[in-house]
Amino acid sequence: MNTLIELNTFGRLLHHALQLPVFVIQPGRTIESAYVDTAIADNPFFALLREEIAGYAYALYAAEQPIHFSRARLQYFFVNANDEDRLIGTIVVGPYLHKKQEDDQWLETVEELHASNRGWLLELYEEISIVTEERAQALSLMVHFAIRRQAVDPSAALLSTDLLFHTLVEDKRERDAELSLSRRSGMLHTNLSHERVLLHYVRAGERERVRTFVMESIVGEDEFGLLSKRSRLRSEKNLMITGIALICRAAIEGGLHEEDALTLSDSYIQQLEEKDKLQEVIRIMREALFDFVDRVADVRRGHYSPAVQDCLHEIANQLYGEITLDRLAELTHLSPNYLSGLFKKEVGLTISEYVQRERIEEAKRLLALTDYPITDIATWLNFSDQSYFNKVFKRWQGSTPKSYRQSEQRPGRKRAEPSSTE
């Protein structure tokens, strides 16, 4: 197969034959086509998986064999299709599971998710097909032969444990050459929208959302760049040091005392430098992330009375549900009138204004990170119609939802939106 059209046809037939999700990825990190059953495609968690699948730098993975990888306990394999030495596209098959999710470790992972997300994830797991390791390997060898016309030794190691997607350039050290390689292959750095979301949660002291964000993220090292060619450990340390610096700044903006934040940052960076194992470096980074967000949360709690804190927590947990003054008053054991005045005095916004603002912030994250239609986002966040949603969004953001989504798109990525009035 040496054309994208042929690869699309093969991907469609493969989906029908295997009854598994199949993606055709262009070299520029764009999904050319996705063949996925409706029950999976409609699940809110699937949009995140779709974004991650599109984002990997398959072009740099010079493998003459299919490659299997795992993200968030979901399994995939991919095969690159070439026309001579030029990559024309990639077939990605997955996600699928090797076994049901009854094992204790899996259930523990699900329980760590925020309650509002747990149901969606469990529903997604229920819809995803079970494919044993032996059958998955056999399928990948068959797909590889069909695409590359090359047989692979069945005993070959096909599993990538880290899926770096990096081919180090030993003989082209000039920066311009490396930039050219990155542009040609589609290897870009991390999605800035993801970074903004994480830093927003740190700035707001929202530990639960940080934990959910970390649990859901399946971004590999290739998304963050390579900062040392001599050592993956050195590269990871450099990346984590950069991350701690960004988190430190976000915490300061969230109210953490500047000197305390910088001292904490220095301490974690020193700990990173002392470690000689990758897992220890990752552990310290996670510890630093949650330490900063907890300290910001402590500072912010000091600004509000217990009743208002309870309201803020309930609103954060119920953005997709019904939020009423009566419900908040019942929760805080205060009269609606008294709670309304107390909230406005401490927060500076009425309860309805605050709920509106937080829902627009959530909408911004969905617009930036997913391909969900704007009408669906408006409905999920309890806006009566898209016209009203557009009006409220423009009030808080200064632009329409469609304009905001376009401004947040990654380079080279296109989103199809149904025509609508703004």
Side-chain angles (χ1 to χ4, degrees):
M1 294 177 197
N2 54 11
T3 70
L4 195 58
I5 294 175
E6 290 177 331
L7 203 61
N8 274 319
T9 301
F10 179 72
R12 175 172 52 80
L13 296 174
L14 190 64
H15 167 68
H16 290 316
L18 302 182
Q19 292 300 298
L20 293 172
V22 176
F23 297 86
V24 179
I25 313 295
Q26 293 184 12
R29 289 188 171 189
T30 301
I31 293 180
E32 172 69 18
S33 53
Y35 304 103
V36 185
D37 290 342
T38 303
I40 294 176
D42 287 348
N43 188 290
F45 261 74
F46 185 73
L48 176 65
L49 300 179
R50 190 176 186 277
E51 293 294 307
E52 301 293 355
I53 290 168
Y56 292 130
Y58 302 99
L60 292 190
Y61 207 86
E64 295 302 316
Q65 60 185 42
I67 295 296
H68 293 243
F69 65 100
S70 174
R71 286 293 182 269
R73 296 184 177 273
L74 300 174
Q75 309 297 325
Y76 306 82
F77 68 81
F78 74 90
V79 176
N80 282 333
N82 288 355
D83 180 12
E84 296 182 349
D85 293 330
R86 182 178 65 89
L87 177 70
I88 63 168
T90 301
I91 287 281
V92 181
V93 178
Y96 51 87
L97 303 172
H98 284 327
K99 57 184 177 181
K100 289 284 187 180
Q101 69 271 22
E102 283 83 10
D103 63 287
D104 294 340
Q105 188 177 9
W106 190 299
L107 292 176
E108 182 179 342
T109 298
V110 174
E111 287 300 320
E112 289 181 5
L113 289 174
H114 194 281
S116 61
N117 298 322
R118 203 172 296 151
W120 286 341
L121 185 59
L122 288 172
E123 287 176 11
L124 180 62
Y125 288 156
E126 287 298 318
E127 295 294 338
I128 290 177
S129 299
I130 305 296
V131 181
T132 64
E133 292 186 43
E134 294 78 11
R135 180 168 178 256
Q137 177 162 318
L139 290 175
S140 70
L141 294 174
M142 179 193 71
V143 172
H144 184 272
F145 183 78
I147 292 177
R148 303 292 290 267
R149 299 293 191 270
Q150 296 174 343
V152 177
D153 183 353
S155 64
L158 305 180
L159 178 64
S160 174
T161 56
D162 49 21
L163 199 62
L164 296 181
F165 295 138
H166 279 137
T167 300
L168 302 185
V169 184
E170 299 295 342
D171 57 345
K172 293 184 178 180
R173 298 184 181 277
E174 297 85 355
R175 290 185 178 86
D176 287 347
E178 292 182 4
L179 286 171
S180 177
L181 175 63
S182 294
R183 294 190 188 102
R184 178 167 54 84
S185 67
M187 187 182 76
L188 306 175
H189 283 70
T190 185
N191 186 335
L192 291 180
S193 297
H194 283 79
E195 177 185 297
R196 293 191 195 106
V197 170
L198 179 60
L199 295 180
H200 168 77
Y201 290 156
V202 173
R203 197 176 296 115
E206 298 184 33
R207 180 185 174 87
E208 288 300 314
R209 290 193 175 186
V210 167
R211 185 171 66 177
T212 300
F213 185 92
V214 172
M215 287 293 298
E216 292 172 2
S217 178
I218 53 176
V219 177
E221 186 194 52
D222 62 300
E223 287 289 306
F224 295 97
L226 183 67
L227 301 187
S228 173
K229 290 185 176 181
R230 295 183 181 275
S231 164
R232 184 187 173 192
L233 178 63
R234 181 67 264 168
S235 177
E236 198 75 21
K237 284 184 178 181
N238 292 345
L239 290 166
M240 297 305 181
I241 289 170
T242 302
I244 287 176
L246 291 171
I247 291 167
C248 175
R249 298 300 182 211
I252 292 172
E253 293 171 4
L256 190 60
H257 189 274
E258 182 175 340
E259 189 60 33
D260 290 344
L262 293 173
T263 300
L264 196 63
S265 173
D266 291 344
S267 173
Y268 278 114
I269 289 173
Q270 290 167 12
Q271 290 182 54
L272 283 176
E273 290 291 3
E274 293 172 358
K275 302 303 179 182
D276 57 4
K277 293 182 179 179
L278 186 60
Q279 285 304 112
E280 292 178 346
V281 170
I282 295 173
R283 178 184 59 77
I284 290 175
M285 181 61 191
R286 288 174 65 93
E287 182 181 325
L289 172 61
F290 287 108
D291 193 359
F292 273 108
V293 75
D294 283 345
R295 290 171 185 265
V296 172
D298 288 341
V299 170
R300 293 175 73 87
R301 275 194 294 268
H303 295 166
Y304 302 119
S305 64
V308 171
Q309 290 176 35
D310 288 343
C311 288
L312 297 177
H313 183 73
E314 178 70 7
I315 291 169
N317 288 341
Q318 297 297 326
L319 285 179
Y320 293 89
E322 185 178 5
I323 304 171
T324 65
L325 176 58
D326 288 341
R327 167 60 186 149
L328 295 176
E330 180 183 352
L331 178 70
T332 57
H333 306 290
L334 298 174
S335 71
N337 286 340
Y338 180 81
L339 177 62
S340 181
L342 181 66
F343 192 97
K344 176 65 183 293
K345 179 181 178 181
E346 294 188 13
V347 179
L349 298 170
T350 66
I351 291 176
S352 61
E353 288 172 337
Y354 181 84
V355 170
Q356 241 184 32
R357 189 189 72 179
E358 291 303 291
R359 282 178 168 159
I360 294 303
E361 287 298 314
E362 184 72 5
K364 287 164 59 179
R365 288 185 277 274
L366 292 174
L367 290 167
L369 300 176
T370 77
D371 288 331
Y372 295 138
I374 294 174
T375 52
D376 288 354
I377 293 174
T379 300
W380 293 339
L381 291 171
N382 287 273
F383 289 93
S384 55
D385 56 60
Q386 188 175 337
S387 177
Y388 178 60
F389 175 60
N390 289 340
K391 180 180 178 181
V392 175
F393 191 97
K394 191 169 185 179
R395 173 192 171 194
W396 289 103
Q397 178 59 28
S399 64
T400 64
K402 185 176 181 180
S403 297
Y404 179 81
R405 168 169 275 177
Q406 291 172 343
S407 71
E408 292 295 310
Q409 287 189 64
R410 293 175 69 166
R413 176 173 165 219
K414 297 179 181 179
R415 284 189 174 99
E417 282 291 346
S419 59
S420 60
T421 58
E422 295 190 354

